[in-house]
Amino acid sequence: GQQVMQIPQYQHVQEGEDFTTYCNSSTTLSNIQWYKQRPGGHPVFLIQLVKSGEVKKQKRLTFQFGEAKKNSSLHITATQTTDVGTYFCAGPPQGGTSYGKLTFGQGTILTVHP
Amino acid sequence: DGGITQSPKYLFRKEGQNVTLSCEQNLNHDAMYWYRQDPGQGLRLIYYSQIVNDFQKGDIAEGYSVSREKKESFPLTVTSAQKNPTAFYLCASSRHDQQYFGPGTRLTVT
């Protein structure tokens, strides 16, 4: 079945440093979504990428979808303590929409030292 | 105020007992999902429902059961057959692509 892998599993940074997490799918994705879960909280939708090679920015966050639509990345510039949490990527089954199942990566846990 | 509610936030049960977790949404979403999250791990899909009176098994359905009698409600029962029930359970809903999550129920079985 479809597998979605994320690396690294953990990342510790000093405040102000940059951070990147990578997501790789075993199958081509129709779209990829990113979620953030604060410690003790629940996942919150950040963004969805649909087109091959798409790049989207949200303030200090840059999201990229690979040309082959099998990988994605999230880059945070100049991390802040508010960026702490677990970042998940997720994609629908091949040929499907997210109306049905989503396969989540195992997440990257980000800690930021002030 | 629209959203997804899960209750209770914390739940403690003795081994061998069935327990039902509540999930209610007022977002008018057709699709609803149950996930299990273990420490340091991602979200694993237990069951999902795309429409009232219909639901499908996810990747780890064994030891769980659900019902979808109303659009707003998708309760999950953790049965005594579930070998490792202690976990954080998240309910979600969606209309198109984006999934909206409830605050979760942390179940501890001893």
Side-chain angles (χ1 to χ4, degrees):
Chain A
Q2 179 191 46
Q3 290 188 353
V4 177
M5 305 297 292
Q6 270 185 267
I7 54 169
Q9 189 173 0
Y10 302 94
Q11 186 74 58
H12 311 280
V13 299
Q14 286 293 132
E15 192 172 19
E17 291 182 338
D18 291 358
F19 159 76
T20 304
T21 175
Y22 299 91
C23 178
N24 292 287
S25 171
S26 59
T27 60
T28 303
L29 299 168
S30 58
N31 68 76
I32 190 137
Q33 301 177 28
W34 285 90
Y35 291 79
K36 176 183 179 181
Q37 183 177 23
R38 292 182 186 275
H42 58 276
V44 174
F45 175 83
L46 293 176
I47 207 160
Q48 178 181 275
L49 304 171
V50 179
K51 299 177 185 174
S52 169
E54 187 170 15
V55 178
K56 286 188 176 180
K57 292 191 176 185
Q58 289 180 350
K59 297 183 180 177
R60 295 178 294 103
L61 277 61
T62 302
F63 303 85
Q64 193 163 8
F65 200 9
E67 294 290 341
K69 301 183 77 172
K70 293 181 73 173
N71 57 73
S72 181
S73 65
L74 158 59
H75 179 82
I76 302 178
T77 303
T79 54
Q80 299 175 359
T81 54
T82 54
D83 296 323
V84 164
T86 303
Y87 293 84
F88 294 100
C89 62
Q94 189 174 18
T97 69
S98 300
Y99 192 82
K101 295 168 59 175
L102 270 182
T103 301
F104 281 81
Q106 69 269 44
T108 295
I109 300 172
L110 172 65
T111 55
V112 179
H113 300 284
Chain B
D1 190 20
I4 301 178
T5 57
Q6 290 186 246
S7 60
K9 189 170 183 179
Y10 298 96
L11 191 54
F12 299 88
R13 280 292 184 269
K14 294 288 187 186
E15 202 173 303
Q17 294 179 334
N18 291 355
V19 59
T20 297
L21 311 185
S22 166
C23 177
E24 303 279 331
Q25 55 104 355
N26 61 4
L27 299 168
N28 199 32
H29 288 169
D30 288 314
M32 296 187 74
Y33 314 83
W34 274 105
Y35 294 92
R36 170 185 173 132
Q37 186 175 33
D38 294 286
Q41 296 196 27
L43 308 177
R44 293 187 288 168
L45 184 65
I46 304 172
Y47 268 98
Y48 64 105
S49 168
Q50 294 184 335
I51 199 168
V52 174
N53 292 323
D54 186 55
F55 48 83
Q56 308 293 329
K57 291 182 179 180
D59 301 316
I60 55 165
E62 186 175 347
Y64 300 97
S65 66
V66 293
S67 63
R68 187 87 188 275
E69 297 175 3
K70 298 186 300 182
K71 188 175 186 177
E72 303 78 21
S73 179
F74 191 39
L76 172 75
T77 297
V78 184
T79 75
S80 56
Q82 169 48 234
K83 291 187 172 63
N84 297 297
T86 294
F88 187 44
Y89 291 88
L90 287 157
C91 178
S93 71
S94 73
R95 181 158 55 201
H96 298 296
D97 292 334
Q98 176 181 342
Q99 293 198 4
Y100 297 80
F101 286 83
T105 292
R106 199 166 295 277
L107 173 65
T108 302
V109 177
T110 56

